[in-house]
């Protein structure tokens, strides 16, 4: 994978929030920024993925109904203890075309720990278009997915670091989730426009995001 980075991770302890496309997100992002990840406990036992997750210092937590408070406290403790953490706030992977709703509960950890939050956009491109092979979604099986990746030429990975948001006490976690999601969405739109330029595509006017990714105003 040919990795291209735009923007820079901020210094100091912070919570990073990124859209989630595939298991490949973890080693790629870990190669760029020293941080920890949050993952559900069962990931630790997955072939290869579990090993990769352990090597980059993943915090394995029990995810499920009624466990969000414990997971949030794990995040708060990590941030208080000086560890930067990457959170995939959608809670699942997507095909990389759009960005699901960001769950606000865990993002409130940054407010409780008084740490800044930085949004990150990750996008995979092949031949100037969104890559359809990298997304690890639904009931995909790891070994077959890995072989599909290895059977194809190298692809381009774009990582965009956005301006940080200082989530002070009293800041609404819902508003924080909305603002961060908007940044990630705009990152996808910007990267898509750049790919169009690389392909020599001429369009009239500004490229518009699909309805599923258009920005909406954030309240409260």
């Amino acid at each position: 994978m040919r990795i291209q980075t735009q923007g820079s991770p901020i210094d100091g302890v912070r919570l990073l929030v990124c859209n989630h496309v595939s298991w490949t997100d973890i080693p790629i992002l870990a190669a760029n920024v020293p941080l920890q990840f949050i993952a559900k406990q069962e990931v630790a036992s997955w072939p290869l993925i579990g090993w990769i997750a352990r090597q980059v210092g993943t915090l394995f937590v029990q995810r499920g109904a009624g466990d969000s408070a414990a997971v949030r406290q794990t995040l708060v403790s990590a941030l208080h203890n000086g560890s930067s953490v990457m959170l995939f706030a959608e809670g699942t992977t997507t095909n990389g075309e759009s960005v699901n709703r960001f769950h606000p509960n865990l993002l409130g950890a940054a407010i409780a720990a008084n740490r800044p939050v930085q949004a990150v956009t990750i996008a995979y491109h092949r031949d100037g278009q969104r890559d359809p092979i990298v997304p690890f979604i639904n009931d995909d099986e790891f070994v077959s997915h890995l072989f599909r990746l290895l059977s194809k030429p190298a692809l381009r990975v774009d990582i965009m670091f956005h301006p940080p948001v200082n989530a002070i006490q009293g800041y609404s976690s819902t508003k924080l989730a909305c603002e961060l999601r908007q940044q990630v969405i705009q990152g996808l739109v910007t990267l898509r426009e750049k790919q169009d330029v690389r392909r020599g595509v001429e369009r009239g006017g500004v490229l518009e995001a699909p309805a599923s990714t258009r920005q909406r105003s954030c309240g409260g």
Side-chain angles (χ1 to χ4, degrees):
M1 296 185 179
R2 299 185 300 272
I3 302 173
Q4 301 291 326
T5 303
Q6 300 181 44
S8 302
I10 61 174
D11 295 327
V13 180
R14 69 282 193 200
L15 178 65
L16 296 102
V17 181
C18 187
N19 59 310
H20 198 12
V21 180
S22 179
W23 61 269
T24 55
D25 299 345
I26 294 176
I28 288 170
L29 293 168
N32 281 268
V33 189
L35 44 74
Q36 292 183 292
F37 292 83
I38 290 283
K40 55 187 179 181
Q41 187 64 50
E42 51 264 42
V43 172
S45 62
W46 289 3
L48 186 58
I49 301 178
W51 180 84
I52 292 173
R54 290 192 297 272
Q55 297 308 303
V56 300
T58 298
L59 301 170
F60 296 105
V61 296
Q62 191 68 41
R63 298 291 295 271
D67 293 321
S68 61
V71 176
R72 173 177 161 141
Q73 187 54 49
T74 298
L75 268 171
V76 173
S77 297
L79 294 169
H80 272 314
N81 292 333
S83 295
S84 293
V85 182
M86 173 70 76
L87 178 66
F88 297 115
E90 295 165 285
T92 186
T93 53
T94 71
N95 65 4
E97 178 69 22
S98 60
V99 182
N100 287 344
R101 171 181 176 268
F102 279 6
H103 297 285
N105 290 341
L106 297 184
L107 292 173
I111 301 173
N114 195 27
R115 300 294 189 183
V117 190
Q118 185 171 26
V120 183
T121 301
I122 188 168
Y124 297 85
H125 297 104
R126 193 185 301 273
D127 299 325
Q129 301 185 53
R130 179 181 62 83
D131 180 72
I133 301 172
V134 169
F136 189 69
I137 54 179
N138 301 324
D139 296 323
D140 210 343
E141 196 271 327
F142 173 73
V143 174
S144 61
H145 183 264
L146 179 61
F147 275 110
R148 290 200 303 274
L149 280 178
L150 295 177
S151 67
K152 299 293 184 180
L155 71 155
R156 176 188 176 101
V157 185
D158 287 287
I159 302 172
M160 180 180 290
F161 292 94
H162 299 280
V165 177
N166 290 316
I168 60 175
Q169 293 291 334
Y171 203 100
S172 164
S173 59
T174 300
K175 182 180 179 181
L176 177 62
C178 183
E179 289 184 3
L180 294 169
R181 179 174 179 264
Q182 285 188 353
Q183 287 184 322
V184 174
I185 288 171
Q186 185 56 50
L188 283 181
V189 173
T190 300
L191 293 173
R192 191 178 309 154
E193 289 175 332
K194 290 184 176 181
Q195 289 301 314
D196 285 341
V197 171
R198 291 189 185 99
R199 295 200 317 267
V201 177
E202 294 184 359
R203 295 170 181 252
V206 179
L207 179 69
E208 185 179 77
S212 59
T213 61
R214 288 179 193 158
Q215 298 187 48
R216 296 186 175 93
S217 60
C218 297

